Amino acid sequence: MALTMRDVDRFEAARPRLEAIAYRLLGSASEAEDAVQETFLRWQASAVEQIEVPEAWLTKVLTHLCLNQLTSARARRETYVGQWLPEPLLAGDPMLGPADTVEQRDSVSYAVLALLERLSPNERAVYVLREAFGYPHREIAEVLDLTEAASQQIFHRAKKHVAEGKPRAEVDAAAARRIIEEFLAAATSGRTEPLVRLLTADAVAIGDGGGKVPARAKAFEGALAVATFMRGLFKPGKAKRALVGGTAEIHATTANGGPAVVAVVEGRVVGVMCLEVGAEGIVAFRSQVNPDKLERATRSWAATEHGEPLFRAF
């Protein structure tokens, strides 16, 4: 049966929430969009008039599509070239979803999205639905075909796994920019010592090039190793300009709610470096340079005002 305009409108009203759920589950904006579109096709093919609670029905269909995707994604990532990192979302992207509480903001932070990769698909789904969207365990149990007690147990286990990751200090936009400016000043000083002072002793730097852009397969670990890498990264050179297709403009912004450095060449985002900040300094740098995972960031960048770059690199 063909959908009425009212049926379409009901789905479109749910789309932002569905996309936000799918992104947290999959760590990929493009895959989240595909999952939501497949959910719409199933909505279109269903007996809509017989669905008593459309929100619950749509959430269940979407979640199971994402669980299937996660299972196949894990197999693909075994052959992924180098480190795998989520697709970053720049400030203002509607797919970031609700950000009213600390839990909601944390659930979409780049650091937590990376940590969620440690969870099983079911653990990830329970964690996201409960922590980010406040679903009661009764409803989560119905979505995942579990008992309510099982949902509670899975959530506590998942939350413990996430909590075992490095703690993250929440920073506002002004603080994020200050942190980035201090970091970039140190990184471009030509000296390692100023950088070391900004980092925790066990700081790490991870990059995802997807086999398309050079990125070290193993993370840099320790303040000195990370500082040395960062000093070299921001050192100008013809090879770097050739690699990114020109001179990169370096901007301070936020991605996934945290401080980030964005490199832009002629309007194209060529890199997003997300900083994880703890009480004692910068804990981690996670850099996304795989062009396939920067297409949405480029579209977001073109649609927003971002001011003058802090400097032009390479």
Side-chain angles (χ1 to χ4, degrees), residues 20-155:
I21 291 173
Y23 172 68
R24 284 167 168 82
L25 288 176
L26 300 173
S28 165
S30 58
E31 291 179 2
E33 289 174 335
D34 290 345
V36 172
Q37 185 58 27
E38 178 61 27
T39 302
F40 174 74
L41 294 177
R42 297 195 180 195
W43 171 254
Q44 189 176 39
S46 68
V48 173
E49 70 283 355
Q50 297 178 18
I51 296 175
E52 295 182 4
V53 186
E55 179 181 292
W57 188 94
L58 292 169
T59 301
K60 182 167 186 171
V61 170
L62 174 79
T63 301
H64 281 276
L65 287 170
C66 289
L67 289 176
N68 292 338
Q69 181 74 7
L70 280 173
T71 301
S72 61
R74 285 176 178 246
R76 290 199 309 273
R77 286 170 197 170
E78 290 179 2
T79 59
Y80 192 81
V81 179
Q83 299 277 345
W84 185 95
L85 288 173
E87 182 177 345
L89 298 183
L90 300 183
D93 193 310
M95 199 175 280
L96 289 169
D100 299 326
T101 67
V102 172
E103 290 78 13
Q104 289 172 337
R105 292 190 291 273
D106 272 350
S107 71
V108 80
S109 74
Y110 209 61
V112 168
L113 286 179
L115 287 170
L116 291 182
E117 288 297 303
R118 302 177 184 179
L119 304 183
S120 70
N122 259 14
E123 287 175 336
R124 188 163 182 163
V126 171
Y127 181 86
V128 166
L129 291 174
R130 178 65 179 167
E131 193 80 346
F133 295 90
Y135 279 83
H137 285 290
R138 176 181 53 79
E139 292 184 18
I140 295 173
E142 291 174 359
V143 166
L144 296 174
D145 299 320
L146 303 168
T147 66
E148 189 171 346
S151 177
Q152 292 171 337
Q153 291 172 355
I154 291 171
F155 175 69

Side-chain angles (χ1 to χ4, degrees), residues 198-279:
L198 293 176
L199 310 178
T200 60
D202 57 351
V204 297
I206 305 168
D208 178 351
K212 299 187 176 184
V213 173
R216 181 181 165 97
K218 186 178 179 181
F220 290 92
E221 299 180 352
L224 182 57
V226 172
T228 302
F229 166 67
M230 289 296 169
R231 186 187 67 183
L233 180 65
F234 287 96
K235 186 176 180 180
K238 290 183 179 179
K240 292 176 186 174
R241 287 195 293 273
L243 180 64
V244 300
T247 298
E249 297 180 340
I250 305 300
H251 293 261
T253 186
T254 59
N256 293 77
V261 177
V262 176
V264 183
V265 175
E266 297 180 355
R268 176 172 54 91
V269 174
V270 297
V272 178
M273 178 186 289
C274 298
L275 283 65
E276 181 183 352
V277 181

